[in-house]
PDB file of all heavy atoms in Angstrom:
ATOM      1  N   TRP A 151      96.018  95.636  78.752  1.00  0.00           N
ATOM      2  CA  TRP A 151      95.520  96.959  79.018  1.00  0.00           C
ATOM      3  C   TRP A 151      96.262  97.917  78.081  1.00  0.00           C
ATOM      4  O   TRP A 151      97.495  97.952  78.020  1.00  0.00           O
ATOM      5  CB  TRP A 151      95.763  97.327  80.467  1.00  0.00           C
ATOM      6  CG  TRP A 151      95.131  98.638  80.822  1.00  0.00           C
ATOM      7  CD1 TRP A 151      95.743  99.871  80.829  1.00  0.00           C
ATOM      8  CD2 TRP A 151      93.789  98.902  81.197  1.00  0.00           C
ATOM      9  NE1 TRP A 151      94.888 100.839  81.163  1.00  0.00           N
ATOM     10  CE2 TRP A 151      93.677 100.286  81.399  1.00  0.00           C
ATOM     11  CE3 TRP A 151      92.678  98.036  81.353  1.00  0.00           C
ATOM     12  CZ2 TRP A 151      92.477 100.859  81.784  1.00  0.00           C
ATOM     13  CZ3 TRP A 151      91.477  98.614  81.734  1.00  0.00           C
ATOM     14  CH2 TRP A 151      91.417 100.022  81.960  1.00  0.00           C
ATOM     15  N   PRO A 152      95.527  98.784  77.383  1.00  0.00           N
ATOM     16  CA  PRO A 152      96.174  99.690  76.430  1.00  0.00           C
ATOM     17  C   PRO A 152      96.851 100.837  77.103  1.00  0.00           C
ATOM     18  O   PRO A 152      96.609 101.137  78.268  1.00  0.00           O
ATOM     19  CB  PRO A 152      94.953 100.222  75.599  1.00  0.00           C
ATOM     20  CG  PRO A 152      93.790 100.109  76.522  1.00  0.00           C
ATOM     21  CD  PRO A 152      94.056  98.872  77.378  1.00  0.00           C
ATOM     22  N   GLY A 153      97.782 101.483  76.346  1.00  0.00           N
ATOM     23  CA  GLY A 153      98.464 102.613  76.904  1.00  0.00           C
ATOM     24  C   GLY A 153      99.630 102.262  77.800  1.00  0.00           C
ATOM     25  O   GLY A 153     100.026 101.121  77.899  1.00  0.00           O
ATOM     26  N   HIS A 154     100.139 103.295  78.468  1.00  0.00           N
ATOM     27  CA  HIS A 154     101.333 103.171  79.343  1.00  0.00           C
ATOM     28  C   HIS A 154     100.971 103.066  80.787  1.00  0.00           C
ATOM     29  O   HIS A 154     101.906 103.049  81.661  1.00  0.00           O
ATOM     30  CB  HIS A 154     102.286 104.354  79.088  1.00  0.00           C
ATOM     31  CG  HIS A 154     102.751 104.470  77.697  1.00  0.00           C
ATOM     32  ND1 HIS A 154     103.652 103.555  77.151  1.00  0.00           N
ATOM     33  CD2 HIS A 154     102.445 105.337  76.700  1.00  0.00           C
ATOM     34  CE1 HIS A 154     103.887 103.891  75.893  1.00  0.00           C
ATOM     35  NE2 HIS A 154     103.148 104.961  75.623  1.00  0.00           N
ATOM     36  N   GLY A 155      99.694 102.943  81.126  1.00  0.00           N
ATOM     37  CA  GLY A 155      99.293 102.885  82.554  1.00  0.00           C
ATOM     38  C   GLY A 155      99.941 101.807  83.345  1.00  0.00           C
ATOM     39  O   GLY A 155     100.459 102.096  84.485  1.00  0.00           O
ATOM     40  N   PRO A 156     100.065 100.580  82.860  1.00  0.00           N
ATOM     41  CA  PRO A 156     100.730  99.504  83.633  1.00  0.00           C
ATOM     42  C   PRO A 156     102.200  99.832  83.945  1.00  0.00           C
ATOM     43  O   PRO A 156     102.660  99.630  85.064  1.00  0.00           O
ATOM     44  CB  PRO A 156     100.579  98.287  82.729  1.00  0.00           C
ATOM     45  CG  PRO A 156      99.338  98.529  81.940  1.00  0.00           C
ATOM     46  CD  PRO A 156      99.349 100.026  81.685  1.00  0.00           C
ATOM     47  N   LEU A 157     102.926 100.340  82.954  1.00  0.00           N
ATOM     48  CA  LEU A 157     104.318 100.689  83.151  1.00  0.00           C
ATOM     49  C   LEU A 157     104.475 101.801  84.136  1.00  0.00           C
ATOM     50  O   LEU A 157     105.315 101.770  85.051  1.00  0.00           O
ATOM     51  CB  LEU A 157     104.983 101.052  81.825  1.00  0.00           C
ATOM     52  CG  LEU A 157     106.439 101.496  81.885  1.00  0.00           C
ATOM     53  CD1 LEU A 157     107.278 100.291  82.460  1.00  0.00           C
ATOM     54  CD2 LEU A 157     106.957 101.854  80.532  1.00  0.00           C
ATOM     55  N   TYR A 158     103.617 102.829  84.011  1.00  0.00           N
ATOM     56  CA  TYR A 158     103.677 103.945  84.938  1.00  0.00           C
ATOM     57  C   TYR A 158     103.352 103.503  86.366  1.00  0.00           C
ATOM     58  O   TYR A 158     103.932 104.002  87.325  1.00  0.00           O
ATOM     59  CB  TYR A 158     102.702 105.050  84.544  1.00  0.00           C
ATOM     60  CG  TYR A 158     103.037 105.736  83.207  1.00  0.00           C
ATOM     61  CD1 TYR A 158     102.056 106.405  82.484  1.00  0.00           C
ATOM     62  CD2 TYR A 158     104.357 105.711  82.701  1.00  0.00           C
ATOM     63  CE1 TYR A 158     102.393 107.095  81.323  1.00  0.00           C
ATOM     64  CE2 TYR A 158     104.682 106.380  81.539  1.00  0.00           C
ATOM     65  CZ  TYR A 158     103.682 107.053  80.849  1.00  0.00           C
ATOM     66  OH  TYR A 158     104.021 107.671  79.621  1.00  0.00           O
ATOM     67  N   THR A 159     102.422 102.596  86.482  1.00  0.00           N
ATOM     68  CA  THR A 159     102.043 102.045  87.862  1.00  0.00           C
ATOM     69  C   THR A 159     103.231 101.308  88.460  1.00  0.00           C
ATOM     70  O   THR A 159     103.566 101.575  89.621  1.00  0.00           O
ATOM     71  CB  THR A 159     100.835 101.161  87.779  1.00  0.00           C
ATOM     72  OG1 THR A 159      99.748 101.842  87.174  1.00  0.00           O
ATOM     73  CG2 THR A 159     100.410 100.664  89.114  1.00  0.00           C
ATOM     74  N   GLY A 160     103.846 100.401  87.713  1.00  0.00           N
ATOM     75  CA  GLY A 160     104.979  99.684  88.241  1.00  0.00           C
ATOM     76  C   GLY A 160     106.134 100.573  88.604  1.00  0.00           C
ATOM     77  O   GLY A 160     106.735 100.492  89.682  1.00  0.00           O
ATOM     78  N   ALA A 161     106.417 101.601  87.712  1.00  0.00           N
ATOM     79  CA  ALA A 161     107.513 102.510  87.985  1.00  0.00           C
ATOM     80  C   ALA A 161     107.151 103.418  89.172  1.00  0.00           C
ATOM     81  O   ALA A 161     108.009 103.714  90.017  1.00  0.00           O
ATOM     82  CB  ALA A 161     107.798 103.340  86.753  1.00  0.00           C
ATOM     83  N   GLY A 162     105.881 103.809  89.262  1.00  0.00           N
ATOM     84  CA  GLY A 162     105.452 104.670  90.337  1.00  0.00           C
ATOM     85  C   GLY A 162     105.529 104.018  91.703  1.00  0.00           C
ATOM     86  O   GLY A 162     106.005 104.611  92.678  1.00  0.00           O
ATOM     87  N   VAL A 163     105.122 102.783  91.751  1.00  0.00           N
ATOM     88  CA  VAL A 163     105.189 102.032  93.017  1.00  0.00           C
ATOM     89  C   VAL A 163     106.672 101.832  93.420  1.00  0.00           C
ATOM     90  O   VAL A 163     107.056 101.972  94.587  1.00  0.00           O
ATOM     91  CB  VAL A 163     104.438 100.716  92.968  1.00  0.00           C
ATOM     92  CG1 VAL A 163     104.711  99.841  94.166  1.00  0.00           C
ATOM     93  CG2 VAL A 163     102.936 100.949  92.803  1.00  0.00           C
ATOM     94  N   GLY A 164     107.491 101.460  92.449  1.00  0.00           N
ATOM     95  CA  GLY A 164     108.932 101.286  92.764  1.00  0.00           C
ATOM     96  C   GLY A 164     109.537 102.613  93.287  1.00  0.00           C
ATOM     97  O   GLY A 164     110.291 102.622  94.241  1.00  0.00           O
ATOM     98  N   ALA A 165     109.187 103.759  92.625  1.00  0.00           N
ATOM     99  CA  ALA A 165     109.716 105.016  93.081  1.00  0.00           C
ATOM    100  C   ALA A 165     109.178 105.393  94.472  1.00  0.00           C
ATOM    101  O   ALA A 165     109.896 105.956  95.289  1.00  0.00           O
ATOM    102  CB  ALA A 165     109.310 106.126  92.051  1.00  0.00           C
ATOM    103  N   ALA A 166     107.905 105.026  94.717  1.00  0.00           N
ATOM    104  CA  ALA A 166     107.369 105.309  96.036  1.00  0.00           C
ATOM    105  C   ALA A 166     108.048 104.524  97.158  1.00  0.00           C
ATOM    106  O   ALA A 166     108.282 105.039  98.240  1.00  0.00           O
ATOM    107  CB  ALA A 166     105.826 104.999  96.034  1.00  0.00           C
ATOM    108  N   LEU A 167     108.395 103.257  96.817  1.00  0.00           N
ATOM    109  CA  LEU A 167     109.144 102.480  97.830  1.00  0.00           C
ATOM    110  C   LEU A 167     110.519 103.139  98.140  1.00  0.00           C
ATOM    111  O   LEU A 167     110.934 103.167  99.307  1.00  0.00           O
ATOM    112  CB  LEU A 167     109.374 101.041  97.305  1.00  0.00           C
ATOM    113  CG  LEU A 167     108.126 100.186  97.192  1.00  0.00           C
ATOM    114  CD1 LEU A 167     108.485  98.849  96.556  1.00  0.00           C
ATOM    115  CD2 LEU A 167     107.498  99.910  98.592  1.00  0.00           C
ATOM    116  N   LEU A 168     111.184 103.595  97.105  1.00  0.00           N
ATOM    117  CA  LEU A 168     112.530 104.255  97.306  1.00  0.00           C
ATOM    118  C   LEU A 168     112.312 105.571  98.103  1.00  0.00           C
ATOM    119  O   LEU A 168     113.112 105.830  99.060  1.00  0.00           O
ATOM    120  CB  LEU A 168     113.132 104.558  95.938  1.00  0.00           C
ATOM    121  CG  LEU A 168     113.700 103.298  95.242  1.00  0.00           C
ATOM    122  CD1 LEU A 168     114.046 103.677  93.781  1.00  0.00           C
ATOM    123  CD2 LEU A 168     114.961 102.797  95.898  1.00  0.00           C
ATOM    124  N   ALA A 169     111.316 106.347  97.710  1.00  0.00           N
ATOM    125  CA  ALA A 169     111.120 107.632  98.388  1.00  0.00           C
ATOM    126  C   ALA A 169     110.790 107.406  99.897  1.00  0.00           C
ATOM    127  O   ALA A 169     111.346 108.139 100.776  1.00  0.00           O
ATOM    128  CB  ALA A 169     109.971 108.401  97.699  1.00  0.00           C
ATOM    129  N   PHE A 170     109.905 106.436 100.207  1.00  0.00           N
ATOM    130  CA  PHE A 170     109.574 106.179 101.542  1.00  0.00           C
ATOM    131  C   PHE A 170     110.801 105.674 102.358  1.00  0.00           C
ATOM    132  O   PHE A 170     110.943 106.020 103.558  1.00  0.00           O
ATOM    133  CB  PHE A 170     108.417 105.206 101.660  1.00  0.00           C
ATOM    134  CG  PHE A 170     107.889 105.008 103.029  1.00  0.00           C
ATOM    135  CD1 PHE A 170     107.084 105.968 103.627  1.00  0.00           C
ATOM    136  CD2 PHE A 170     108.188 103.891 103.757  1.00  0.00           C
ATOM    137  CE1 PHE A 170     106.627 105.829 104.899  1.00  0.00           C
ATOM    138  CE2 PHE A 170     107.728 103.695 105.070  1.00  0.00           C
ATOM    139  CZ  PHE A 170     106.958 104.700 105.645  1.00  0.00           C
ATOM    140  N   PHE A 171     111.612 104.875 101.711  1.00  0.00           N
ATOM    141  CA  PHE A 171     112.801 104.373 102.368  1.00  0.00           C
ATOM    142  C   PHE A 171     113.720 105.495 102.835  1.00  0.00           C
ATOM    143  O   PHE A 171     114.195 105.520 103.979  1.00  0.00           O
ATOM    144  CB  PHE A 171     113.596 103.410 101.425  1.00  0.00           C
ATOM    145  CG  PHE A 171     114.976 103.067 101.976  1.00  0.00           C
ATOM    146  CD1 PHE A 171     115.091 102.144 102.964  1.00  0.00           C
ATOM    147  CD2 PHE A 171     116.084 103.742 101.464  1.00  0.00           C
ATOM    148  CE1 PHE A 171     116.383 101.802 103.460  1.00  0.00           C
ATOM    149  CE2 PHE A 171     117.348 103.395 101.971  1.00  0.00           C
ATOM    150  CZ  PHE A 171     117.496 102.439 102.934  1.00  0.00           C
ATOM    151  N   PHE A 172     113.941 106.490 101.960  1.00  0.00           N
ATOM    152  CA  PHE A 172     114.833 107.577 102.289  1.00  0.00           C
ATOM    153  C   PHE A 172     114.165 108.451 103.345  1.00  0.00           C
ATOM    154  O   PHE A 172     114.815 108.985 104.254  1.00  0.00           O
ATOM    155  CB  PHE A 172     115.230 108.394 101.087  1.00  0.00           C
ATOM    156  CG  PHE A 172     116.152 107.743 100.155  1.00  0.00           C
ATOM    157  CD1 PHE A 172     115.778 107.313  98.880  1.00  0.00           C
ATOM    158  CD2 PHE A 172     117.465 107.485 100.579  1.00  0.00           C
ATOM    159  CE1 PHE A 172     116.681 106.639  98.082  1.00  0.00           C
ATOM    160  CE2 PHE A 172     118.409 106.827  99.762  1.00  0.00           C
ATOM    161  CZ  PHE A 172     118.021 106.406  98.495  1.00  0.00           C
ATOM    162  N   PHE A 173     112.860 108.648 103.266  1.00  0.00           N
ATOM    163  CA  PHE A 173     112.113 109.438 104.210  1.00  0.00           C
ATOM    164  C   PHE A 173     112.180 108.793 105.604  1.00  0.00           C
ATOM    165  O   PHE A 173     112.480 109.440 106.605  1.00  0.00           O
ATOM    166  CB  PHE A 173     110.661 109.670 103.800  1.00  0.00           C
ATOM    167  CG  PHE A 173     109.810 110.337 104.834  1.00  0.00           C
ATOM    168  CD1 PHE A 173     109.971 111.731 105.052  1.00  0.00           C
ATOM    169  CD2 PHE A 173     108.884 109.621 105.597  1.00  0.00           C
ATOM    170  CE1 PHE A 173     109.176 112.360 106.021  1.00  0.00           C
ATOM    171  CE2 PHE A 173     108.093 110.250 106.517  1.00  0.00           C
ATOM    172  CZ  PHE A 173     108.256 111.569 106.743  1.00  0.00           C
ATOM    173  N   ALA A 174     111.920 107.492 105.659  1.00  0.00           N
ATOM    174  CA  ALA A 174     111.958 106.755 106.934  1.00  0.00           C
ATOM    175  C   ALA A 174     113.384 106.733 107.529  1.00  0.00           C
ATOM    176  O   ALA A 174     113.542 106.862 108.738  1.00  0.00           O
ATOM    177  CB  ALA A 174     111.438 105.328 106.730  1.00  0.00           C
ATOM    178  N   ALA A 175     114.387 106.529 106.654  1.00  0.00           N
ATOM    179  CA  ALA A 175     115.732 106.534 107.131  1.00  0.00           C
ATOM    180  C   ALA A 175     116.138 107.855 107.709  1.00  0.00           C
ATOM    181  O   ALA A 175     116.893 107.954 108.768  1.00  0.00           O
ATOM    182  CB  ALA A 175     116.703 106.152 105.997  1.00  0.00           C
ATOM    183  N   GLY A 176     115.611 108.978 107.110  1.00  0.00           N
ATOM    184  CA  GLY A 176     115.975 110.312 107.613  1.00  0.00           C
ATOM    185  C   GLY A 176     115.267 110.705 108.897  1.00  0.00           C
ATOM    186  O   GLY A 176     115.729 111.596 109.586  1.00  0.00           O
ATOM    187  N   THR A 177     114.180 110.008 109.206  1.00  0.00           N
ATOM    188  CA  THR A 177     113.392 110.316 110.389  1.00  0.00           C
ATOM    189  C   THR A 177     113.374 109.238 111.439  1.00  0.00           C
ATOM    190  O   THR A 177     112.656 109.313 112.408  1.00  0.00           O
ATOM    191  CB  THR A 177     111.956 110.658 109.995  1.00  0.00           C
ATOM    192  OG1 THR A 177     111.367 109.559 109.321  1.00  0.00           O
ATOM    193  CG2 THR A 177     111.864 111.896 109.121  1.00  0.00           C
ATOM    194  N   GLN A 178     114.180 108.198 111.201  1.00  0.00           N
ATOM    195  CA  GLN A 178     114.156 107.053 112.089  1.00  0.00           C
ATOM    196  C   GLN A 178     114.536 107.412 113.514  1.00  0.00           C
ATOM    197  O   GLN A 178     114.111 106.789 114.490  1.00  0.00           O
ATOM    198  CB  GLN A 178     115.100 105.960 111.554  1.00  0.00           C
ATOM    199  CG  GLN A 178     115.106 104.641 112.358  1.00  0.00           C
ATOM    200  CD  GLN A 178     113.695 104.015 112.385  1.00  0.00           C
ATOM    201  OE1 GLN A 178     113.033 103.918 111.373  1.00  0.00           O
ATOM    202  NE2 GLN A 178     113.358 103.442 113.555  1.00  0.00           N
ATOM    203  N   GLY A 179     115.376 108.467 113.649  1.00  0.00           N
ATOM    204  CA  GLY A 179     115.760 108.850 115.020  1.00  0.00           C
ATOM    205  C   GLY A 179     114.656 109.358 115.833  1.00  0.00           C
ATOM    206  O   GLY A 179     114.709 109.285 117.083  1.00  0.00           O
ATOM    207  N   THR A 180     113.611 109.902 115.221  1.00  0.00           N
ATOM    208  CA  THR A 180     112.508 110.475 115.943  1.00  0.00           C
ATOM    209  C   THR A 180     111.183 109.708 115.804  1.00  0.00           C
ATOM    210  O   THR A 180     110.294 109.872 116.572  1.00  0.00           O
ATOM    211  CB  THR A 180     112.233 111.987 115.545  1.00  0.00           C
ATOM    212  OG1 THR A 180     112.076 112.021 114.093  1.00  0.00           O
ATOM    213  CG2 THR A 180     113.488 112.776 115.866  1.00  0.00           C
ATOM    214  N   VAL A 181     111.103 108.927 114.705  1.00  0.00           N
ATOM    215  CA  VAL A 181     109.870 108.209 114.413  1.00  0.00           C
ATOM    216  C   VAL A 181     110.179 106.690 114.401  1.00  0.00           C
ATOM    217  O   VAL A 181     111.027 106.265 113.543  1.00  0.00           O
ATOM    218  CB  VAL A 181     109.251 108.631 113.034  1.00  0.00           C
ATOM    219  CG1 VAL A 181     107.979 107.861 112.799  1.00  0.00           C
ATOM    220  CG2 VAL A 181     109.042 110.138 113.014  1.00  0.00           C
ATOM    221  N   PRO A 182     109.560 105.881 115.206  1.00  0.00           N
ATOM    222  CA  PRO A 182     109.871 104.461 115.315  1.00  0.00           C
ATOM    223  C   PRO A 182     109.155 103.622 114.186  1.00  0.00           C
ATOM    224  O   PRO A 182     108.265 102.859 114.468  1.00  0.00           O
ATOM    225  CB  PRO A 182     109.401 104.087 116.697  1.00  0.00           C
ATOM    226  CG  PRO A 182     108.233 104.953 116.936  1.00  0.00           C
ATOM    227  CD  PRO A 182     108.583 106.302 116.274  1.00  0.00           C
ATOM    228  N   TRP A 183     109.566 103.833 112.953  1.00  0.00           N
ATOM    229  CA  TRP A 183     108.885 103.209 111.846  1.00  0.00           C
ATOM    230  C   TRP A 183     108.926 101.724 111.975  1.00  0.00           C
ATOM    231  O   TRP A 183     107.866 101.017 111.800  1.00  0.00           O
ATOM    232  CB  TRP A 183     109.531 103.620 110.523  1.00  0.00           C
ATOM    233  CG  TRP A 183     109.462 105.032 110.201  1.00  0.00           C
ATOM    234  CD1 TRP A 183     110.427 106.003 110.310  1.00  0.00           C
ATOM    235  CD2 TRP A 183     108.299 105.763 109.734  1.00  0.00           C
ATOM    236  NE1 TRP A 183     109.985 107.225 109.896  1.00  0.00           N
ATOM    237  CE2 TRP A 183     108.671 107.122 109.566  1.00  0.00           C
ATOM    238  CE3 TRP A 183     106.991 105.373 109.425  1.00  0.00           C
ATOM    239  CZ2 TRP A 183     107.779 108.096 109.063  1.00  0.00           C
ATOM    240  CZ3 TRP A 183     106.113 106.324 108.924  1.00  0.00           C
ATOM    241  CH2 TRP A 183     106.467 107.620 108.757  1.00  0.00           C
ATOM    242  N   LEU A 184     110.063 101.139 112.255  1.00  0.00           N
ATOM    243  CA  LEU A 184     110.199  99.657 112.245  1.00  0.00           C
ATOM    244  C   LEU A 184     109.417  99.069 113.460  1.00  0.00           C
ATOM    245  O   LEU A 184     108.765  98.047 113.348  1.00  0.00           O
ATOM    246  CB  LEU A 184     111.669  99.262 112.355  1.00  0.00           C
ATOM    247  CG  LEU A 184     112.515  99.533 111.154  1.00  0.00           C
ATOM    248  CD1 LEU A 184     113.981  99.208 111.416  1.00  0.00           C
ATOM    249  CD2 LEU A 184     112.043  98.732 109.975  1.00  0.00           C
ATOM    250  N   GLU A 185     109.471  99.797 114.580  1.00  0.00           N
ATOM    251  CA  GLU A 185     108.773  99.297 115.743  1.00  0.00           C
ATOM    252  C   GLU A 185     107.232  99.273 115.520  1.00  0.00           C
ATOM    253  O   GLU A 185     106.549  98.332 115.936  1.00  0.00           O
ATOM    254  CB  GLU A 185     109.076 100.186 116.962  1.00  0.00           C
ATOM    255  CG  GLU A 185     108.362  99.807 118.241  1.00  0.00           C
ATOM    256  CD  GLU A 185     108.641 100.794 119.368  1.00  0.00           C
ATOM    257  OE1 GLU A 185     109.632 101.527 119.318  1.00  0.00           O
ATOM    258  OE2 GLU A 185     107.848 100.842 120.338  1.00  0.00           O
ATOM    259  N   ARG A 186     106.747 100.295 114.860  1.00  0.00           N
ATOM    260  CA  ARG A 186     105.303 100.390 114.641  1.00  0.00           C
ATOM    261  C   ARG A 186     104.767  99.631 113.411  1.00  0.00           C
ATOM    262  O   ARG A 186     103.573  99.291 113.363  1.00  0.00           O
ATOM    263  CB  ARG A 186     104.918 101.853 114.534  1.00  0.00           C
ATOM    264  CG  ARG A 186     105.136 102.730 115.770  1.00  0.00           C
ATOM    265  CD  ARG A 186     104.263 102.212 116.924  1.00  0.00           C
ATOM    266  NE  ARG A 186     104.412 103.039 118.096  1.00  0.00           N
ATOM    267  CZ  ARG A 186     103.609 104.037 118.391  1.00  0.00           C
ATOM    268  NH1 ARG A 186     102.594 104.363 117.583  1.00  0.00           N
ATOM    269  NH2 ARG A 186     103.813 104.755 119.478  1.00  0.00           N
ATOM    270  N   GLY A 187     105.634  99.426 112.398  1.00  0.00           N
ATOM    271  CA  GLY A 187     105.148  98.913 111.157  1.00  0.00           C
ATOM    272  C   GLY A 187     105.610  97.585 110.705  1.00  0.00           C
ATOM    273  O   GLY A 187     105.114  97.032 109.669  1.00  0.00           O
ATOM    274  N   SER A 188     106.628  96.954 111.381  1.00  0.00           N
ATOM    275  CA  SER A 188     107.177  95.673 110.934  1.00  0.00           C
ATOM    276  C   SER A 188     106.157  94.528 111.106  1.00  0.00           C
ATOM    277  O   SER A 188     105.169  94.651 111.927  1.00  0.00           O
ATOM    278  CB  SER A 188     108.433  95.346 111.708  1.00  0.00           C
ATOM    279  OG  SER A 188     108.103  95.180 113.053  1.00  0.00           O
ATOM    280  N   ALA A 189     106.338  93.498 110.318  1.00  0.00           N
ATOM    281  CA  ALA A 189     105.390  92.356 110.393  1.00  0.00           C
ATOM    282  C   ALA A 189     105.839  91.422 111.536  1.00  0.00           C
ATOM    283  O   ALA A 189     106.412  90.352 111.285  1.00  0.00           O
ATOM    284  CB  ALA A 189     105.387  91.639 109.058  1.00  0.00           C
ATOM    285  N   SER A 190     105.504  91.827 112.718  1.00  0.00           N
ATOM    286  CA  SER A 190     105.767  91.018 113.884  1.00  0.00           C
ATOM    287  C   SER A 190     104.689  89.931 113.989  1.00  0.00           C
ATOM    288  O   SER A 190     103.485  90.247 114.105  1.00  0.00           O
ATOM    289  CB  SER A 190     105.765  91.821 115.183  1.00  0.00           C
ATOM    290  OG  SER A 190     105.672  91.041 116.313  1.00  0.00           O
TER     291      SER A 190
END
């Protein structure tokens, strides 16, 4: 695939995982992320 799209996609998804981790960690006291979203 031409251009930088693949690299931007990989970097973007990695950054999104990090951002969501910090958001979930900061709100874990009020939002049960693990309880509602884990692969039980």
Side-chain angles (χ1 to χ4, degrees):
W151 186 265
H154 299 288
L157 179 60
Y158 292 159
T159 302
V163 170
L167 290 175
L168 287 167
F170 187 76
F171 169 78
F172 287 113
F173 175 73
T177 57
Q178 184 62 40
T180 56
V181 181
W183 297 103
L184 292 175
E185 178 185 340
R186 295 297 185 94
S188 62
S190 165

